[in-house]
Structures are given as structure tokens and as C-alpha cells.
């Protein structure tokens, strides 16, 4: 990747110039950078890296998008971009009392909020008393899913990468159990804390963690596959216990958040209510500087962040 300087774009008739304020940093960036088969086409070469952003209108040729309006969507990894009211990849958003604007890139985003919601309520359909395991439990999606599963009455076990993250899940979010995969044997510990097996598993990691959880699944368990971050930088993240899906008659469903965009008007107001009532908490890890994108992505891929990673560029 390289950082280049180009002239500021000029909006045409019916268009607006948007100055990006924040860029969403997500594991799927690593997928879009590759030419491996994936759910969309890779991010095109020699163009700004594809990314969701939140920006503000700086010049306007459309009264429906006045100067000062906030724009959410695929503004990509750049300072400025041009869009219009008819562009399906962007939309105007408004400030929500009690929440920062960055919530649109974290808890209220399709990639984060909708993924967690659909995982818990639809794919896993968590029921009271069930044992639920959440991979990457302190991440942006995982931490929300932990809380939503708890609100559904589940016994929630989050898998994390540090003792600090484990304390965050238990002390701040009220999760039942947190396991540190860097210092604990996940299969052994799961066997101890869930001796009767796991009913539901949200897989955000793949790799050895998923391998261990598969060995602990109950008969007719349910698995939501929403991420495989352990394999995005490696081709060796294999699953050895795949046969457990057969032996335990497991239902596994993979899904992509963009399949559920139409549900945002239903889901987002419920998140706002839960947040303002103090029933849902979330963290944002805001880093600064477009020129630091590669280092910030490394922060995400190595698990150094807690909560939603966002890049502030103005």
C-alpha cells in the first residue's frame, strides 16, 4: 500500500464533497485486500482502499445534503470523496442525543451491530439457560454478542486474548466466564466451566479456538459463523475437529452482515434504547492519522484493540 496526494475532487451538479472524519477499521479489510474467493470482489488495485467512513459535507450542490450534513457509507480510505443523494453506497445520518457520532461505525453499524444482533437473535436463537460461547469476546462484535446473549438469559463464556480483556468482560459487562486463549487450554477449561457441553457458538475466529469449541458442542448445537480472523493472514488455520459437526448433528450457518442491511431500521433503535438504559456497553478504540492505517490494521489483526477500532483522520 502507498499514501499518495491528489487534487481535492470537485462535486458536479447534484453532488456533494464529503470530508471524511472517521474510518471504520474491520477484519474484512484483510479479506478485501486479497484475491482469494470472497463474498464481494476484492478492493480494486490502484484505488483508495475500500472502507466504511463517516464524513461531513464540505461543499454541496444538493439542498437535501447541505453543508454540515453527516454522511455514512463507503467513503473509503481517503480524506475526501464525492457522492450524491442517489448513491446507494452512502446515506445521510443525524446526531443521536446521548451517543457520539462514531457510534455509527461501531455499535450502530451493519458490520458490528447488525452482525452481533443477527448472530444472537436469529442464527443462534439463544434461549434462557443455554451455554453460549463467543469467540473474540472482547472485540467489537463479540462484546455486543456477549451482552445480547446474556440479556436472552444465556450462560455466556467469552474467549479473549488477555487477562485485561477477561476482566473487562466479567467486571464491566457482567459476562459469566472469560477464558484467555493465550494462557489457558481452551478445550480443558471449556470442559470444566461447561461440563454438560455448549449449546451455541458464535465463531469469529476459526482456527485452534474453534477446533477446541467443536469438541465441546452438545448434540444439536447451533453455530453462527461470522468471521475467521485467525486465517486472514495465514493459510494454515485448519479445523481438525470438523467431524464433530456430524457426530453432534450441529447446525452451522455462515452469514454476511450486508445480507441484513434492510433490518437496520428495526435493529438500530433497539440498540439506542438498550445503550441509553445502561443495558448495553461498548468501547471504541480510536487511533489517529490516515498515514497510520497499516499500523492500525496490525493492531486489529494482532488483537491489541479492545472494542471497535476506528481511525480518525481529521
Amino acid at each position: 500500500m502507498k499514501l499518495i496526494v491528489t487534487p481535492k475532487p470537485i462535486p458536479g451538479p447534484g453532488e456533494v464533497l464529503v470530508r471524511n472524519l472517521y474510518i471504520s477499521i474491520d477484519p474484512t479489510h484483510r479479506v478485501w485486500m486479497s484475491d482469494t474467493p470472497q463474498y464481494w470482489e476484492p478492493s480494486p488495485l490502484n484505488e483508495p482502499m475500500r472502507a466504511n467512513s463517516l464524513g461531513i459535507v464540505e461543499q454541496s450542490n444538493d439542498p437535501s445534503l447541505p453543508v454540515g450534513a453527516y454522511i455514512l457509507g463507503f467513503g473509503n480510505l481517503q480524506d475526501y470523496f464525492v457522492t450524491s443523494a442517489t448513491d446507494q453506497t452512502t446515506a445521510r445520518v443525524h446526531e443521536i442525543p446521548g451517543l457520539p457520532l462514531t457510534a455509527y461505525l461501531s455499535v450502530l453499524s451493519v458490520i458490528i451491530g447488525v452482525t452481533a444482533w443477527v448472530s444472537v437473535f436469529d442464527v443462534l436463537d439463544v434461549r434462557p439457560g443455554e451455554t453460549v460461547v463467543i469467540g473474540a469476546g472482547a472485540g467489537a462484535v463479540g462484546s455486543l454478542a456477549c451482552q445480547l446473549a446474556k440479556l436472552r438469559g444465556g450462560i455466556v463464556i467469552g474467549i479473549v486474548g488477555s487477562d485485561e480483556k477477561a476482566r473487562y468482560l466479567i467486571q464491566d459487562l457482567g459476562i459469566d466466564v472469560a477464558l484467555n486463549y493465550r494462557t489457558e487450554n481452551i478445550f480443558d477449561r471449556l470442559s470444566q466451566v461447561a461440563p454438560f457441553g455448549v449449546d451455541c457458538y458464535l465463531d469469529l475466529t476459526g482456527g485452534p479456538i474453534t477446533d477446541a469449541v467443536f469438541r465441546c458442542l452438545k448434540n444439536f448445537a447451533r453455530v453462527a459463523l461470522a468471521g475467521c480472523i485467525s486465517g486472514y493472514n495465514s493459510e494454515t488455520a485448519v479445523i481438525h475437529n470438523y467431524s464433530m459437526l456430524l457426530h453432534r448433528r450441529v447446525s452451522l450457518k455462515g452469514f454476511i452482515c450486508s445480507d441484513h442491511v434492510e433490518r437496520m431500521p428495526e435493529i438500530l433503535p433497539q440498540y439506542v434504547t438498550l445503550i441509553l438504559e445502561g443495558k448495553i456497553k461498548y468501547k471504541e478504540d480510536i487511533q489517529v492519522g490516515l498515514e497510520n492505517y497499516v499500523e492500525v490494521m496490525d493492531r486489529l489483526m494482532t488483537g491489541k484493540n479492545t472494542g471497535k477500532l476506528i481511525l480518525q483522520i481529521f
Side-chain angles (χ1 to χ4, degrees):
M1 301 189 73
K2 58 184 178 181
L3 186 67
I4 63 172
V5 178
T6 61
K8 185 188 300 185
I10 300 173
E15 295 182 330
V16 298
L17 176 67
V18 179
R19 175 166 54 92
N20 271 331
L21 301 174
Y22 299 97
I23 303 290
S24 178
I25 305 299
D26 301 292
T28 195
H29 286 202
R30 186 63 187 86
V31 178
W32 293 339
M33 291 177 191
S34 74
D35 58 1
T36 57
Q38 53 189 274
Y39 59 96
W40 286 350
E41 290 298 315
S43 188
L45 295 175
N46 301 313
E47 293 185 18
M49 174 63 198
R50 182 189 297 143
N52 276 298
S53 69
L54 178 70
I56 189 169
V57 175
E58 193 169 90
Q59 297 178 31
S60 176
N61 295 323
D62 181 349
S64 71
L65 298 176
V67 171
Y70 293 109
I71 303 296
L72 179 70
F74 282 108
N76 300 332
L77 200 66
Q78 55 191 344
D79 290 327
Y80 293 92
F81 69 98
V82 169
T83 188
S84 68
T86 59
D87 189 336
Q88 297 293 309
T89 67
T90 59
R92 183 179 181 182
V93 295
H94 301 272
E95 293 185 82
I96 300 173
L99 294 181
L101 279 170
T102 49
Y104 281 113
L105 295 179
S106 57
V107 62
L108 301 183
S109 70
V110 176
I111 290 179
I112 305 304
V114 172
T115 298
W117 192 278
V118 171
S119 295
V120 172
F121 289 98
D122 297 357
V123 181
L124 296 179
D125 187 22
V126 174
R127 299 153 197 169
E130 290 190 320
T131 298
V132 184
V133 174
I134 309 292
V141 173
S143 59
L144 288 179
C146 281
Q147 295 173 84
L148 293 174
K150 194 67 182 168
L151 289 174
R152 292 275 283 193
I155 301 167
V156 182
I157 303 168
I159 300 177
V160 298
S162 72
D163 291 340
E164 180 183 359
K165 291 180 178 181
R167 286 191 293 271
Y168 169 63
L169 289 192
I170 294 173
Q171 297 175 7
D172 294 358
L173 303 188
I175 306 310
D176 298 287
V177 179
L179 306 180
N180 183 349
Y181 72 87
R182 297 185 191 275
T183 60
E184 300 180 272
N185 182 296
I186 295 301
F187 171 70
D188 290 345
R189 290 288 286 124
L190 267 183
S191 299
Q192 294 169 0
V193 300
F196 300 107
V198 172
D199 296 284
C200 302
Y201 174 44
L202 171 55
D203 188 3
L204 297 165
T205 63
I209 292 173
T210 294
D211 229 5
V213 176
F214 276 9
R215 293 177 64 189
C216 298
L217 294 175
K218 284 184 180 180
N219 288 341
F220 308 107
R222 306 180 299 283
V223 176
L225 174 56
C228 306
I229 192 170
S230 70
Y232 292 165
N233 275 336
S234 170
E235 297 181 356
T236 61
V238 297
I239 301 297
H240 298 284
N241 293 311
Y242 179 76
S243 62
M244 294 305 296
L245 300 180
L246 168 64
H247 300 318
R248 297 288 184 254
R249 287 85 87 198
V250 173
S251 297
L252 183 151
K253 182 177 181 179
F255 74 96
I256 301 297
C257 60
S258 55
D259 296 338
H260 303 275
V261 171
E262 75 284 350
R263 296 191 57 194
M264 288 187 73
E266 163 207 347
I267 294 172
L268 266 55
Q270 296 184 71
Y271 266 126
V272 172
T273 298
L274 289 169
I275 294 167
L276 296 180
E277 290 179 348
K279 296 178 180 177
I280 286 287
K281 300 177 182 178
Y282 69 99
K283 276 188 175 183
E284 294 176 346
D285 184 342
I286 299 179
Q287 303 294 311
V288 179
L290 187 65
E291 68 279 6
N292 296 319
Y293 171 73
V294 173
E295 288 76 14
V296 174
M297 269 299 294
D298 182 68
R299 181 177 179 84
L300 177 68
M301 301 305 294
T302 55
K304 296 175 183 176
N305 64 302
T306 298
K308 181 66 182 78
L309 194 56
I310 295 171
L311 185 61
Q312 181 178 352
I313 62 173
F314 271 103

